[in-house]
Amino acid sequence: MTAILLLAGNLEMLSWIAGAGSFIIAVPSLVLALTSHSGAGGDSTIHPSPGTEAPDSGPAHRPGTGTVAVELTTRRIRTANRLSHAAEGAGQGFAAIIVPVVVVGLFDSATRAAVHRSPMTFFLLAVGVAALVAFLAWLAAPGGKDLLIVNDEGLTIIDKRHIRYGDTSFTIPWPLMERVRLLSSTQPAFSILIVQFRSGESEFEASRISALEKRGESTSDGHIMARLYVASGGTERTELLVRARRALTEFGGHRYAE
């Protein structure tokens, strides 16, 4: 910051710094507002069957015969995750323009003169890049495992994001699972759904299992296929853990282990 102030040396430059910072902060908020508005009109995600979507903060429930739906995340959790990535992307984009200009300007008089002649050009460029990177970071933020559907067919993980590159929902049939567990994580904010897959008995089955394994994170106990966030919702979110285990016991049978 000291280097920037020395380079600027006038109030006009400082005003552009303040304006650039305000603009960068406003971009994620604008996207959030648009997302919330679109959410009010209904989720465009295609679900496995009508009526299987649970309220964002509601408990596990039976939307249809032989089906239990459990919210793994809430809209607030998804938004906070994306805002965090957008803010990080904005900072990186802004720094990618400003830092080189400042560093070169400290040693090159021609660069300093160019900045003094047209400070707004450099800062508008930095703001534009920051906004673009923030939006891309918002889209690319990890997630998409928001709703768990448990039924006689298996486990379905639903992507409920309104703005995304593509639908990442997927289903794991019971016959492909050797064992499934819902365990407390070393990070107290969530519990993890771990699936241990069977060895494929045919080339098609092995290929299908391999594709599903890539959806999760490999561990010594199996693959982490989803996370149930419980820390941010108090008792209501904690009760989901009990109900999710009850559903896994009911439908998973001998495949489910505590």
Side-chain angles (χ1 to χ4, degrees):
M1 180 59 71
T2 302
I4 295 177
L5 293 176
L6 291 174
L7 181 62
N10 56 58
L11 293 177
E12 181 183 6
M13 180 72 79
L14 295 179
S15 67
W16 277 104
I17 295 175
S22 300
F23 185 85
I24 293 172
I25 294 174
V27 169
S29 300
L30 176 60
V31 178
L32 170 60
L34 293 175
T35 303
S36 299
H37 178 72
S38 63
D43 192 348
S44 60
T45 302
I46 299 176
H47 298 306
S49 60
T52 59
E53 183 176 347
D56 274 329
S57 59
H61 69 298
R62 290 184 179 277
T65 304
T67 297
V68 173
V70 180
E71 288 287 346
L72 300 173
T73 66
T74 64
R75 181 172 296 174
R76 179 179 179 181
I77 293 171
R78 295 190 291 271
T79 299
N81 178 50
R82 285 194 148 181
L83 281 175
S84 175
H85 282 80
E88 182 179 350
Q92 292 174 349
F94 192 75
I97 300 299
I98 295 301
V99 171
V101 172
V102 171
V103 172
V104 173
L106 292 175
F107 303 97
D108 182 60
S109 59
T111 300
R112 288 197 299 272
V115 172
H116 279 292
R117 283 196 304 269
S118 184
M120 68 179 65
T121 300
F122 291 94
F123 279 94
L124 285 176
L125 176 61
V127 169
V129 172
L132 175 61
V133 177
F135 182 68
L136 294 177
W138 175 279
L139 290 178
K145 298 179 178 181
D146 306 311
L147 178 68
L148 171 64
I149 304 294
V150 187
N151 55 27
D152 292 329
E153 297 180 359
L155 306 177
T156 298
I157 311 296
I158 300 295
D159 181 356
K160 294 185 64 179
R161 295 173 297 175
H162 299 295
I163 303 176
R164 62 194 181 190
Y165 285 126
D167 189 350
T168 60
S169 304
F170 62 94
T171 297
I172 311 174
W174 290 117
L176 299 185
M177 289 181 263
E178 185 72 33
R179 184 172 62 171
V180 57
R181 292 186 293 171
L182 189 59
L183 304 176
S184 297
S185 171
T186 53
Q187 302 179 26
F190 54 82
S191 294
I192 53 178
L193 180 69
I194 296 183
V195 173
Q196 184 177 349
F197 291 94
R198 296 178 50 197
S199 299
E201 298 180 358
S202 65
E203 183 176 349
F204 173 77
E205 191 173 88
S207 175
R208 191 177 183 185
I209 290 174
S210 177
L212 287 170
E213 287 177 339
K214 294 177 181 178
R215 299 273 192 170
E217 304 169 29
S218 180
T219 69
S220 58
D221 297 323
H223 288 75
I224 300 176
M225 304 307 297
R227 289 175 168 81
L228 171 59
Y229 287 83
V230 296
S232 64
T235 303
E236 189 175 25
R237 294 292 300 170
T238 304
E239 288 176 351
L240 287 179
L241 185 59
V242 176
R243 297 178 182 181
R245 285 176 173 155
R246 190 177 302 158
L248 291 171
T249 301
E250 177 182 351
F251 293 102
H254 69 278
R255 295 181 179 86
Y256 177 66
E258 292 285 351

